[in-house]
């Protein structure tokens, strides 16, 4: 009932409010009126009839005293005028019927035999009156009257009903008169409700409610219109914000997914749908795993688990998406768990397309671990592989073989036919070598014409037989270039990798020594390393250089040369910039290049001593040449890989700076890429220590084969010296040109200056200038000369005068 009332309109409720109390009032008033009228009727009738009975009693006193029944009956006859009378009786003092009066319609009724226990009362519509007749306190008799007031009752009820009908009529008339007044209340409310419904249905917040009266409803309408004004303003703001958000969401260059915790796609922006080749509607309710490579599904599952476990953190993960057309999209995903207004959790995943960067990174990583010329693994990858293999043999006691190979006729072909012929020979030899080994064997080009093969689970004897077959295959191979044909040989050294191998260097050194022994024995042969091999003893002649170097340090037989480095941009020319080079002067005064003694120095740990000699003598020489120091912009000093890990080197360098008062900002230390990466942790500390004191650093031979770009971010160097292997052929070799361009661009992005080595002619110089390389070093700039002969050179002036070197 209450629910039905709640569903009524305002007008109906007002009507109900008016009708309901009126009806209740009428009902209660009618009942009360009937009860009141009946009660009053009973009282008056009883009083009237009792008074009449008393009067008859008084008149019947004589009849009772004289026993005159006729007189008594005459006295009762006065009641004949009462239509309600049924029977009237006069009793004597003894309770006997003295006289009685009955109407013809009620002759069946008689006087009660005894009225001892009778009293005056109403029973329903019947009235019983018992009135004693007392004279001087003596009981003479009793008057008994029995009357039927049914008709009187009905007349009273009819009267009351008529009165009730009149009241109802008056109420209805009042309600009819009040109805127009209700419209003053219901009509404005109805109009307000209609306006509310219209706004709700159409979302048109420009609609306004009509103000009819200036009463409280008018105030309500004004308040409602003010509220709608506010809502309209906020709605416009929300719409603008929503449009901005949708623009930001859909036009965002990244892919944005809203996912459930099971990977189901709740929503996706237009960029994400476009990248995947489907519409937004087609992607909804699909699983993100449908667009992820199977190998990457665990990565996505891990990302979801981490988001659920740590909802306050932002999590990152990389994986590959697969578009509808099968195209792979590498993405870097950033995800966070959030809750909407309904307390429902979902994942917001923002995916940045890194396909291009990933492709470039893979390409660079491949180039960093593979030889650009032959496609074989390079020296860095070989070192990593052999170190892993040495660790493995200490676990499973397996035996493997390392084969070190050197082409015998490479220099002849390279010198007679030129570098292109030499490069082609290396490519063809690499193909032959790949086809001649097992699938599980590892082939690498170590540099120049040197190659290595790691034969898995192979004994020395098995490796020897395999290398003999490879030698026969190479010997049967004829390399043709133009109208020339060459027979190529290969010298091979073999060493064993087993549980006795201490590290990756030992097997390599042994195979290298065995290879040189094969060359010493006539080339084009296979030699196996054995500790007691006499042929290898001959190789130890390299030790002669150890004593020569030691004596040279004591007798100051070493001398310092310098090769100028010139900027391409004349604005960067701030003075003399050169690289310090070391030479050895023998007993006859001949100058010996470092290629003759540096390998022995590095092999037998004499490189730090040579580095100390160079630094101390260079600083002393500069300190004694104040004019030279004033003209000096930057002096580069080479440090060996062993020096980087020498704990006494940093204190020594610091002491030399203090001793000779050399400005630290004028000294640049050059370290090779191989040495830096081999001692990455200590090299980083070494570089940071000296850079904090003003020195700069250059990474030498950059791009020569190690994971250059992978480690570059961790090496705080100022210059990158692009390996001359790539520079010397950039005019004719597009791959070398691309590598130089890539290295230069990466260097510029990272804020590092680039220096190109082996700039041997004007064509190379001009091409490097077009690429935006910062500095050049090579014969086109100037040959290495003693320090006293160093001069500041403008390369553009030198070339314009035709004084380039070849």
């Amino acid at each position: 009932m209450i629910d039905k009332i709640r569903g009524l309109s305002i007008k109906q409720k007002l009507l109900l409010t008016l009708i309901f109390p009126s009806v209740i009032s009428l009902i209660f008033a009618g009942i009360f009126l009937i009860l009141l009228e009946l009660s009053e009727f009973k009282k008056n009738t009883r009083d009237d009839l009792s008074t009449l009975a008393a009067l008859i009693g008084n008149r019947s006193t004589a009849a009772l005293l004289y026993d005159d029944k006729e007189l008594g009956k005459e006295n009762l006859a006065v009641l004949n005028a009462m239509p309600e009378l049924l029977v009237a009786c006069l009793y004597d003092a003894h309770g006997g019927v003295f006289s009685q009066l009955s109407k013809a319609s009620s002759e069946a009724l008689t006087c009660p035999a005894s009225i001892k226990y009778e009293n005056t009362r109403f029973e329903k519509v019947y009235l019983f009156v018992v009135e004693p007749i007392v004279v001087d306190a003596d009981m003479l008799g009793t008057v008994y009257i029995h009357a039927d007031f049914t008709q009187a009752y009905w007349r009273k009820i009819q009267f009351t009903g008529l009165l009730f009908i009149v009241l109802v009529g008056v109420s209805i008339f009042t309600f009819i008169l009040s109805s127009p007044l209700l419209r003053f209340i219901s009509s404005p409310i109805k109009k307000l409700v209609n306006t509310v419904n219209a706004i709700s249905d159409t979302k048109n917040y420009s609609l306004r409610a009509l103000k009819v009266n200036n009463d409280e409803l008018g105030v309500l309408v004004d308040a409602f219109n003010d509220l709608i004004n506010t809502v309209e303003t906020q709605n416009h703001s929300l719409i603008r914000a929503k449009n901005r958000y949708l623009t930001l969401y859909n036009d965002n260059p990244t892919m944005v997914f809203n996912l459930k915790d099971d990977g189901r796609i709740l929503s996706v922006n237009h960029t994400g749908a476009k990248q995947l080749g489907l519409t937004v509607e087609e992607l909804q309710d699909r699983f993100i795993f449908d667009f992820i490579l199977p190998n990457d599904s665990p990565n996505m599952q891990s990302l979801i688990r981490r988001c659920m476990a740590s909802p306050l953190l932002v999590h990152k993960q990389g994986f590959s998406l697969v578009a509808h057309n099968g195209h792979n999209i590498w993405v870097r995903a950033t995800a966070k768990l959030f809750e909407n207004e309904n307390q429902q959790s979902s994942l917001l995943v923002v995916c940045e397309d890194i396909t291009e960067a990933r492709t470039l990174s893979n390409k660079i990583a491949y180039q960093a671990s593979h030889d650009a010329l032959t496609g074989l693994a390079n020296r860095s990858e070989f070192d990593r592989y052999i170190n892993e293999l040495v660790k493995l043999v200490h676990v499973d006691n397996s035996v493997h073989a390392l084969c070190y190979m050197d082409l015998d006729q490479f220099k002849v072909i390279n010198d007679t036919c030129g570098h292109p012929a030499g490069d082609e020979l290396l490519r063809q030899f690499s193909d032959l070598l790949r086809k001649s080994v097992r699938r599980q064997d590892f082939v690498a080009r170590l540099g120049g014409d040197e190659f290595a093969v790691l034969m898995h689970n192979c004994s020395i004897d098995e490796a020897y037989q395999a290398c003999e077959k490879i030698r026969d295959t190479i010997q049967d191979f004829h390399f043709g270039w133009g109208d020339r044909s060459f027979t190529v040989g290969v010298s091979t050294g073999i060493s064993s990798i087993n549980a006795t191998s201490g590290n990756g260097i030992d097997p390599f050194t042994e195979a290298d020594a065995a290879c040189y022994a094969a060359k010493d024995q006539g080339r084009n042969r296979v030699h196996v390393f054995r500790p007691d091999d006499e042929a290898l003893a001959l190789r130890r002649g390299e030790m002669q250089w150890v004593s020569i170097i030691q004596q040279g340090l004591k007798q100051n037989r070493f001398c310092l040369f310098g090769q100028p480095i010139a900027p391409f941009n004349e604005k960067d020319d701030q003075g003399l910039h050169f690289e310090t080079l070391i030479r050895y002067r023998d007993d006859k005064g001949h100058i010996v290049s470092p290629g003759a003694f540096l390998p022995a120095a590095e092999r037998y740990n004499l490189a730090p001593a040579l580095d100390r000699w160079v630094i101390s003598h260079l600083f002393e020489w500069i300190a004694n040449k104040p004019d030279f120091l004033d003209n000096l912009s930057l002096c580069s000093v080479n440090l060996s890989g062993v020096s980087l890990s020498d704990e006494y080197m940093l204190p020594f360098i610091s002491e030399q700076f203090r001793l000779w008062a050399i400005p630290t900002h004028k000294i640049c230390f050059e370290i090779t890429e191989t040495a830096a990466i081999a001692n990455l942790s200590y090299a980083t500390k070494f570089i940071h220590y000296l850079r904090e004191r003003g020195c700069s650093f250059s990474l030498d031979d950059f791009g020569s084969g190690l994971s250059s770009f992978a480690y570059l971010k961790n090496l705080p160097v100022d210059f990158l010296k692009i390996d001359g292997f790539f520079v010397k052929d950039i005019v004719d070799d597009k791959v070398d040109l691309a590598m130089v361009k890539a290295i230069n661009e990466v260097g510029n992005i990272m804020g590092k200056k680039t220096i190109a080595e082996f700039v041997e002619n004007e064509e190379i110089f001009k091409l490097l200038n077009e690429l935006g390389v910062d500095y050049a070093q090579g014969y086109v700039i100037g040959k290495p000369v003693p320090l006293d002969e160093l001069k500041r050179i403008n390369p553009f002036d030198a070339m314009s005068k035709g004084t380039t070197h070849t």
Side-chain angles (χ1 to χ4, degrees), residues 595-608:
F597 56 88
L598 282 183
E602 292 182 349
R603 183 185 296 273
Y604 297 103
N605 203 31
L606 292 175

Side-chain angles (χ1 to χ4, degrees), residues 548-680:
I548 294 175
I549 292 172
Q550 292 172 341
Q551 288 298 319
L553 291 171
K554 292 179 180 178
Q555 298 171 6
N556 280 330
R557 287 186 172 274
F558 293 98
C559 56
L560 297 177
F561 276 53
Q563 186 176 23
I565 300 172
F568 284 94
N569 190 338
E570 295 182 7
K571 295 180 180 180
D572 294 333
D573 188 4
Q574 299 178 355
L576 179 61
H577 183 185
F578 70 95
E579 178 183 1
T580 306
L581 304 171
I582 189 171
R583 299 289 188 267
Y584 178 80
R585 182 179 287 108
D586 63 14
D587 296 336
K588 296 180 181 180
H590 297 151
I591 299 297
V592 181
S593 65
F597 56 88
L598 282 183
E602 292 182 349
R603 183 185 296 273
Y604 297 103
N605 203 31
L606 292 175
L610 283 177
D611 289 343
R612 289 187 179 89
W613 189 92
V614 170
I615 292 172
S616 62
H617 284 75
L618 174 66
F619 283 17
E620 181 182 4
W621 186 88
I622 293 176
N624 293 325
K625 303 283 185 180
D627 293 336
F628 183 91
L629 181 60
D630 292 338
N631 189 43
L632 177 63
S633 171
L634 195 65
C635 172
S636 296
V637 183
N638 289 285
L639 289 177
S640 66
V642 181
S643 295
L644 287 177
S645 56
D646 186 347
E647 60 180 322
Y648 301 107
M649 183 57 69
L650 274 177
F652 173 81
I653 293 175
S654 300
E655 175 61 19
Q656 293 301 308
F657 273 118
R658 186 197 63 79
L659 180 63
W660 299 109
I662 301 298
T664 55
H665 69 275
K666 294 196 174 187
I667 301 299
C668 175
F669 291 100
E670 286 194 15
I671 57 176
T672 64
E673 176 189 358
T674 306
I677 295 175
N679 307 277
L680 184 60

Side-chain angles (χ1 to χ4, degrees), residues 564-570 572-573 575 577 759 761-762 765-766 769 774-782 791-805:
I565 300 172
F568 284 94
N569 190 338
E570 295 182 7
D572 294 333
D573 188 4
H577 183 185
V759 184
N761 56 57
E762 186 175 351
F765 180 89
K766 291 181 177 179
N769 188 23
D774 298 301
Y775 296 87
Q777 180 181 0
Y779 282 6
V780 75
I781 306 300
K791 295 180 180 179
R792 183 175 177 183
I793 297 176
N794 186 317
F796 295 95
D797 292 341
M799 283 186 289
S800 65
K801 296 176 182 178
T803 58
T804 58
H805 299 270

Side-chain angles (χ1 to χ4, degrees), residues 183-202:
R183 292 193 185 93
F184 286 105
I185 299 175
S186 63
S187 180
I189 294 177
K190 184 177 180 180
K191 291 179 181 179
L192 179 60
V193 171
N194 291 337
T195 304
V196 171
N197 291 332
I199 293 174
S200 178
D201 293 338
T202 63

Side-chain angles (χ1 to χ4, degrees), residues 238-258:
L238 287 174
I239 291 174
R240 289 193 296 270
K242 178 184 177 182
N243 292 336
R244 288 196 298 268
Y245 165 76
L246 289 176
T247 301
L248 178 64
Y249 178 71
N250 287 317
D251 297 341
N252 195 306
T254 61
M255 294 175 277
V256 182
F257 295 90
N258 187 13

